Amino acid sequence: MIKITLLFLMGLAGFGQFAFSQSVSIQQPNRLPQTVYAVSIIKKTLSEKGIKLKQEQGDFSLDLKLNTGKSNHEAYSIDLTGRKITITGDSENGLLYGCLSFCEDIRNGVQLQKIKPRNERASLPFRAIKFNLPWDTYRHSTALDLHKETCQDLTFWEAFLDMMAENRFNALTLWNLHPFPFMIRPTNFPEACSFTDQELARWQALYRGIFRLARERGIDTYLVNWNIYVSPEFAKAHNVTMDNLDHKIHATGDTSEIIKRYTRECVTQVLNEYPDLSGLGFTHGEAMWGMTPQQRQDWFGETILAGMRLANRKAKLIHRIPLSANLALGGSTSVETEQLTRRAMEKLDFLDGPIWAEIKFNWSHAFSSTDLIKVHGGKLNDTYFKPQPANYKIAWMARNEDFFCLRWGVPNFIRQHIATNSQPYVGGYFVGSECYIPAKDYFTKAGQPVDWRYAFERQWLFYKLWGRLLYNSATPDSIFKAEFTRRYGKGTETLLDASALAGTTPLRLASAFDFTWDFTLYSEGFMALNKKSMDYISIDRQINQPPADPAYVSVAEYVKVMAAGGTFEKARITPPMLIQRLEQDCRKALDLIKTVNVTNNNSLRYEVADVKAWANLGLYFAQKLRGAVALQTYRLKGGEPNRTSAIAHLQQALTYWDDVIAITRPLYNDMPLVHFSESDDGLKFHWSILRPAVANDLEIARKATVNTSN
């Protein structure tokens, strides 16, 4: 047992009294990585409070215990008996989380004698971040390339992994097309790696550093790739996949024997050379054009799975559910493909723990409805769930392709999401984006003094809500409000409620506007795919687009039914109901932040501005819907007052859009988005750029005519 004594200075400076000192001795059960890290966080927390170390028996005893006799639910308990504080974990992660919870109290100003006894355990065992790496990217885009320097710096990863541990995420999944040449020089295919020994050593140090830092924080690491890819150097040397040297995502599957052998040997060598890497994942999709589901599954069996079996240790596996049930890659589902995939997963008996079977929740837009409406390709049958699987657990992919700039945090949406989708066959969630990397902050205008460095730090509430609620879905709002107070002072805790109200805006748009893949909706910008380009959602598109959530009623359907004298079931959300909810919540959000003083805190200014932006976007949406109903009514029934009403509401919508511009223009740059920059044409996003398109809604209403065919 290692003893460390610490001096606590705990005072009542706010009451003008002298501080009094207390000392604490820490008993540490071992020097395993998570425990060493936990103690380092305790030391750091005390140091930030001006507390010094002292080598003698303390007035308080902080006893860290590891009780491995119980089941590993990453659980912990904190008990206070007299002057003894005991933190017990049922695993290394459980003990780490207990120490982090203790540190959270200290940071929030809780005195030792007032530490409250409590216990927590993980609601879900798999709590992952999806992180696309900016080299050999899934999409080729300047919006992704600009993160390369940041993501090659271990300082970034240390900060990111600290955030993950603090928020109880326990898996980091790293995605790119072909990771192996960045990590190894394949023994039998050295030509596949184009780096010099010195360059490769730098890449290897980066990956080993990431995996080591993650292990110390109780975080599993996975490499997840798309298929079938080889390095351009390998392709040229062996005259294979010559039609895909630039790594297009939609390419024909090359199943030649040399590619199979190369892939298999790379998998084995990476697992052997990187002992801190937890596992691998694979995708039944890109660069597998023309292959049947059976051929794709067979390919994985002969390559990645065979390579894992040959490694000198067990590894974990992410098995993505097939994105296509036919020869194409656009997305489709079938019972036969589900049965094939399930049989394949149930047979695997050499892995470390259950397989995490990843399924995209509501395709690329999980920030829509909490009900499972669709997956990649369409509707999901119950094949993966009935009967209860023995060898795998479902892990929902909560993809965010809907907001990258504005801060977002709606705790009850996440709670409901977890509660609705945590059946016994579910193991957890992935949270992350395909079209955005949370590394370099390219949003914030230069010259703005703020307390963050990296992009993910701007979205601290997003990560804290998802991580803490996935760990314990009963985590109360008081935890998140206390973090606002710690960061910005008393009176700012109302920002959580304001964020929760204003943040419903993108959720409601995504529920009311049907979508499929990434570019089919960008809620933050009120943009959607229009044939081959990403455009502003015009008033006509808003009228005619069917909803994603069947509980919602489109404008076109609403006006048609009402014109015919019909009614809707009470459970349906009609445009007038949606308008009422948007206006009620967004106006309340604006009221809540009226008293928040941002004068002396520029970081707080951004927090408040983002609530204002979401709220004004919600009010814009409400007026746009009013205008849409009036315009469609005019087209069906005529009546000049209907057209006049449409024009008036759309004019008010434009006013709210102008308010969004006024709020965001002083704070945010024009932003590079994958949606625009795949062709390097330099197009960027800001609400001001879309103003002409928003104003054009008025012209559409002014030029509207009555449909005489009705």
Side-chain angles (χ1 to χ4, degrees), residues 6-50:
L6 306 170
L7 177 67
F8 277 71
L9 297 176
M10 304 178 59
L12 300 172
F15 294 92
Q17 299 183 13
F18 289 105
F20 62 91
S21 62
Q22 293 175 313
S23 58
V24 176
S25 61
I26 297 182
Q27 295 188 333
Q28 177 181 338
N30 57 54
R31 293 198 61 83
L32 293 175
Q34 290 100 308
T35 307
V36 172
Y37 176 72
V39 171
S40 74
I41 294 298
I42 292 174
K43 291 181 180 181
K44 180 181 177 182
T45 301
L46 300 177
S47 176
E48 289 171 351
K49 291 292 185 180

Side-chain angles (χ1 to χ4, degrees), residues 112 216 306 365 393 463 474 481 521 533 615 626 644 660 686:
L112 286 174
E216 291 169 355
H365 301 276
K393 290 279 190 179
Y463 291 106
K481 289 183 176 182
L521 183 63
S533 64
R626 278 200 174 96
T644 301
V660 174
H686 192 277

Side-chain angles (χ1 to χ4, degrees), residues 28-175:
Q28 177 181 338
N30 57 54
R31 293 198 61 83
L32 293 175
Q34 290 100 308
T35 307
V36 172
Y37 176 72
V39 171
S40 74
I41 294 298
I42 292 174
K43 291 181 180 181
K44 180 181 177 182
T45 301
L46 300 177
S47 176
E48 289 171 351
K49 291 292 185 180
I51 298 166
K52 299 178 181 178
L53 300 176
K54 183 180 177 184
Q55 297 298 325
E56 62 182 44
Q57 184 63 38
D59 299 325
F60 277 84
S61 172
L62 182 57
D63 194 3
L64 310 184
K65 291 186 175 181
L66 190 61
N67 185 359
T68 57
K70 297 181 179 180
S71 299
N72 179 5
H73 296 293
E74 297 176 288
Y76 74 86
S77 64
I78 298 179
D79 297 299
L80 176 63
T81 304
R83 290 182 174 269
K84 182 178 182 180
I85 302 169
T86 304
I87 303 176
T88 305
D90 71 347
S91 61
E92 290 291 319
N93 274 16
L95 181 58
L96 170 59
Y97 298 155
C99 292
L100 291 170
S101 182
F102 168 80
C103 289
E104 185 173 59
D105 277 359
I106 299 301
R107 288 197 305 269
N108 289 336
V110 177
Q111 297 180 2
L112 286 174
Q113 59 268 34
K114 294 184 179 180
I115 295 290
K116 291 184 179 180
R118 58 189 175 278
N119 58 77
E120 286 187 285
R121 58 179 287 179
S123 300
L124 293 166
F126 185 78
R127 307 178 300 279
I129 294 287
K130 179 186 191 296
F131 196 108
N132 279 21
L133 294 170
W135 42 88
D136 201 9
T137 52
Y138 175 73
R139 288 193 168 89
H140 306 321
S141 168
T142 55
L144 302 178
D145 293 342
L146 58 82
H147 296 282
K148 286 182 179 178
E149 182 178 354
T150 303
C151 289
Q152 289 181 57
D153 184 353
L154 269 181
T155 303
F156 164 77
W157 288 106
E158 185 170 13
F160 192 82
L161 290 160
D162 281 343
M163 176 278 294
M164 288 185 63
E166 179 181 308
N167 295 324
R168 316 314 193 243
F169 287 105
N170 66 358
L172 173 65
T173 62
L174 301 173
W175 303 58

Side-chain angles (χ1 to χ4, degrees), residues 48 59 75 127 178 239 264 320 390 538 550 563 584 605 692:
E48 289 171 351
D59 299 325
R127 307 178 300 279
H178 191 56
N239 196 32
R264 181 169 57 247
R320 300 192 73 192
S538 70
Q584 175 181 300
R605 180 187 176 201

Side-chain angles (χ1 to χ4, degrees), residues 217-427:
R217 289 153 179 77
I219 297 169
D220 286 339
T221 47
Y222 296 82
L223 297 176
V224 188
N225 68 325
W226 290 267
N227 296 276
I228 302 168
Y229 294 94
V230 297
S231 70
E233 293 76 18
F234 180 92
K236 293 173 184 177
H238 300 280
N239 196 32
V240 292
T241 66
M242 292 298 290
D243 59 342
N244 197 22
L245 295 178
D246 58 349
H247 282 185
K248 298 183 294 291
I249 56 177
H250 289 165
T252 303
D254 188 330
T255 59
S256 55
E257 287 302 317
I258 196 160
I259 289 181
K260 288 181 182 179
R261 180 187 168 197
Y262 164 73
T263 304
R264 181 169 57 247
E265 292 184 8
C266 282
V267 166
T268 302
Q269 189 172 339
V270 162
L271 288 174
N272 288 344
E273 291 190 15
Y274 291 85
D276 287 340
L277 172 63
S278 307
L280 301 173
F282 55 73
T283 304
H284 294 249
E286 283 71 11
M288 300 186 91
W289 193 285
M291 298 172 66
T292 66
Q294 183 67 64
Q295 287 172 328
R296 291 170 184 154
Q297 191 68 52
D298 290 345
W299 191 86
F300 291 119
E302 295 174 37
T303 57
I304 295 176
L305 294 172
M308 294 178 73
R309 192 186 293 270
L310 292 170
N312 59 19
R313 64 184 178 91
K314 287 188 175 183
K316 301 176 187 290
L317 178 66
I318 294 168
H319 189 303
R320 300 192 73 192
I321 296 305
L323 310 181
S324 177
N326 54 38
L327 301 181
L329 299 175
S332 58
T333 59
S334 74
V335 172
E336 293 76 19
T337 300
E338 293 168 4
Q339 291 172 337
L340 163 67
T341 307
R342 174 165 185 158
R343 286 195 299 269
M345 288 193 290
E346 294 285 22
K347 290 179 181 178
L348 299 178
D349 58 359
F350 60 91
L351 301 167
D352 180 10
I355 299 167
W356 305 115
E358 181 261 4
I359 298 178
K360 292 183 186 178
F361 193 98
N362 288 344
W363 210 318
S364 297
H365 301 276
F367 293 86
S368 51
S369 172
T370 57
D371 293 328
L372 181 63
I373 299 166
K374 64 181 78 175
V375 298
H376 189 122
K379 295 289 184 181
L380 186 69
N381 301 290
D382 62 4
T383 312
Y384 295 115
F385 317 141
K386 295 181 181 179
Q388 185 81 13
N391 211 28
Y392 65 87
K393 290 279 190 179
I394 299 298
W396 301 118
M397 174 63 78
R399 282 270 295 276
N400 168 33
E401 310 304 335
D402 296 296
F403 43 83
F404 307 141
C405 174
L406 298 178
R407 292 159 179 79
W408 181 92
V410 185
N412 281 341
F413 171 80
I414 299 174
R415 288 192 185 97
Q416 185 179 348
H417 211 298
I418 295 168
T420 305
N421 302 288
S422 290
Q423 296 83 355
Y425 52 77
V426 173

